[in-house]
Amino acid sequence: MARIIGGIGASHVPTIGLAYDRGRQADPAWAPLFDGYKPVAAWLAAEKPDVLLFFYNDHATTLFFDCYPTFALGVGERFPIADEGAGPRGLPDIRGDVDLQAHVGECLVNEEFDLTFLQNKPIDHGVASPLPLLWPHTPDWPGVVVPIAINVLQYPLPTARRCYRLGQAVRRAIESYPKDLKVVVVGTGGLSHQIHGERTGFNNTDWDLEFLELFKSEPERLAAMRHADYVRLGGAESVEQIMWLAMRGALDPEITELHRAYYLATTTAMTVTLYANEANAIPLAARTVEAA
């Protein structure tokens, strides 16, 4: 049976991709961000998951405001990476697994999640910004991606609890898949930021850190929050945190945080976190010793 071994939370700021493509990993302004991803990439290299399942949002590259679904599942053997105005990126198309995607889709529909299905459509920085920091890509990606887009742009949005329940349903779908696959779920977006209006540039580090603590131990409190609460505490765009709730729903009730890196250098509080279900909760330091 397929099984979920852990989860990753990652900001999907588009400038991360630009900095990566321009080789700025060692620049003083960017090194803390890129260094924060290295332990997560090392964990993935050691665990060798077959699948990364992403909860992300499309930024009007494939979906548009005249037709923007609440939940959309990508289905395809390959997904091109969207050109968002800076030219094509030097990354291979993202690999997919149609059988697994179709299984997840059928299971979610049978649990009364009304999905849109996107076939072989481009994927933007919602996935493509953090992905090369997590997985190598030469000559190709080491595994496949199941992309699930969540509407966090066009109101009305799904509630935080609905996203949490989506993650729980995704877990049931994965665990009912008959192939022996290792899956890591990734929730992208956030943390605090606002990029328009009177509060442009707003951040709230205290709330970010509180969110990360509640995320581990009291996700039900986060699931009960309204969109207005997220916006008030973290800025208009921090409502993206409901996508983290989808990832949390797919994990065990009790999880172990293996790694956290928080970096606020631009308008967005950029974060990467790593969580393990209990069976995989070996500290990173111990894994390093074992590998040596």
Side-chain angles (χ1 to χ4, degrees):
M1 259 190 343
R3 65 197 187 281
I4 293 172
I5 63 171
I8 296 168
S11 301
H12 61 216
V13 183
T15 50
I16 294 175
L18 289 173
Y20 179 88
D21 293 347
R22 294 172 183 175
R24 299 183 62 185
Q25 289 86 332
D27 286 6
W30 283 103
L33 180 281
F34 287 107
D35 289 346
Y37 276 82
K38 290 178 180 178
V40 185
W43 183 85
L44 289 171
E47 289 289 345
K48 296 181 172 57
D50 304 285
V51 181
L52 295 184
L53 187 149
F54 271 82
F55 296 106
Y56 77 106
N57 70 289
D58 179 89
H59 300 78
T61 56
T62 291
L63 306 174
F64 299 94
F65 293 133
D66 60 348
C67 186
Y68 204 104
T70 301
F71 300 122
L73 171 66
V75 179
E77 295 182 355
R78 289 275 175 174
F79 302 99
I81 294 175
D83 180 351
E84 299 182 72
R89 299 188 63 187
L91 301 173
D93 290 350
I94 297 169
R95 293 173 55 201
D97 180 336
V98 173
D99 289 341
L100 176 59
Q101 294 153 355
H103 173 81
V104 170
E106 183 174 13
C107 289
L108 292 179
V109 168
N110 285 330
E111 292 215 31
E112 301 182 352
F113 284 90
D114 298 318
L115 296 178
T116 295
F117 292 87
L118 307 173
Q119 297 187 40
N120 304 301
K121 293 293 187 181
I123 294 178
D124 68 12
H125 70 268
V127 172
S129 176
L131 185 60
L133 281 65
L134 300 173
W135 261 353
H137 54 82
T138 304
D140 205 351
W141 307 103
V144 301
V145 167
V146 176
I148 299 179
I150 297 176
N151 172 26
V152 294
L153 294 181
Q154 178 84 314
Y155 282 84
L157 312 181
T159 64
R161 185 170 301 281
R162 186 65 170 161
C163 292
Y164 189 57
R165 289 174 175 165
L166 172 68
Q168 293 171 327
V170 163
R171 176 173 182 153
R172 292 189 287 271
I174 293 296
E175 291 181 344
S176 68
Y177 192 64
K179 292 185 180 178
D180 184 17
L181 298 175
K182 295 169 73 173
V183 180
V184 173
V185 287
V186 186
T188 73
L191 294 181
S192 67
H193 64 300
Q194 181 155 330
I195 58 174
H196 71 281
E198 294 181 0
R199 290 203 303 170
T200 297
F202 175 79
N203 297 106
N204 186 346
T205 296
D206 289 343
W207 162 240
D208 290 336
L209 300 181
E210 181 181 357
F211 171 83
L212 293 172
E213 290 302 317
L214 292 172
F215 185 85
K216 285 188 300 179
S217 58
E218 298 183 70
E220 283 286 345
R221 281 183 57 185
L222 297 175
M225 289 173 55
R226 302 173 306 152
H227 300 127
D229 298 322
Y230 282 97
V231 170
R232 173 177 54 83
L233 289 165
E237 277 71 36
S238 76
V239 78
E240 291 176 344
Q241 288 167 289
I242 65 176
M243 296 186 290
W244 285 54
L245 265 291
M247 179 263 285
R248 183 65 180 90
L251 300 179
D252 288 352
E254 301 292 332
I255 57 174
T256 299
E257 183 183 89
L258 297 178
H259 175 72
R260 179 196 298 185
Y262 178 89
Y263 185 50
L264 177 54
T266 63
T267 57
T268 303
M270 295 182 285
T271 312
V272 60
T273 55
L274 173 63
Y275 307 99
N277 285 333
E278 188 171 345
N280 294 83
I282 302 173
L284 293 181
R287 291 174 182 274
T288 302
V289 171
E290 290 174 1

